[in-house]
Amino acid sequence: MAVDPDPPSHGQHLATVSHDGRFWDVYLEFEDDPRRPDSYRALLAYSPADRNEGEETIRTIAVIIEPSYEEAIRRARQLEDHQLVAFLRSLLPD
């Protein structure tokens, strides 16, 4: 089995959603903020499941900010498909 040399994300896979005829894998990625060491900040990364060569993963800004890693994961897992699709739609060109 071939391994993708450039995975779409090193984050935790949250879901796969459908939008506009494509399937998108959604990942949760944490970012470090040295100004806020008391919080865990995470963004959503979207990669089309049928990713074409040169097509890059698109990312939101940090949309989850929680006091612990576990709470951030729990909050992300509470997002419903329609919410994940709404974030994706906000990232795509019109």
Side-chain angles (χ1 to χ4, degrees):
M1 179 163 88
V3 175
D4 186 352
D6 184 24
S9 173
H10 291 288
Q12 183 172 359
H13 186 264
L14 283 179
T16 300
V17 296
S18 176
H19 173 66
D20 209 18
R22 291 182 91 179
F23 289 103
W24 295 80
D25 290 314
V26 186
Y27 300 89
L28 185 67
E29 296 180 350
F30 285 88
E31 63 178 30
D32 292 330
D33 186 350
R35 298 168 296 155
R36 301 285 313 252
D38 58 334
S39 68
Y40 287 79
R41 302 167 54 86
L43 55 90
L44 300 174
Y46 291 84
S47 177
D50 62 347
R51 187 167 61 144
N52 298 313
E53 187 174 324
E55 197 168 20
E56 300 202 10
T57 300
I58 55 177
R59 292 169 171 84
T60 66
I61 61 169
V63 294
I64 295 178
I65 303 170
E66 295 293 337
S68 74
Y69 176 82
E70 293 77 15
E71 288 179 70
I73 296 288
R74 185 170 36 256
R75 175 73 62 196
R77 294 227 176 266
Q78 290 174 343
L79 292 170
E80 296 181 13
D81 283 357
H82 73 277
Q83 293 168 310
L84 294 171
V85 169
F87 278 117
L88 171 61
R89 289 179 52 214
S90 74
L91 297 170
L92 295 173
D94 290 332

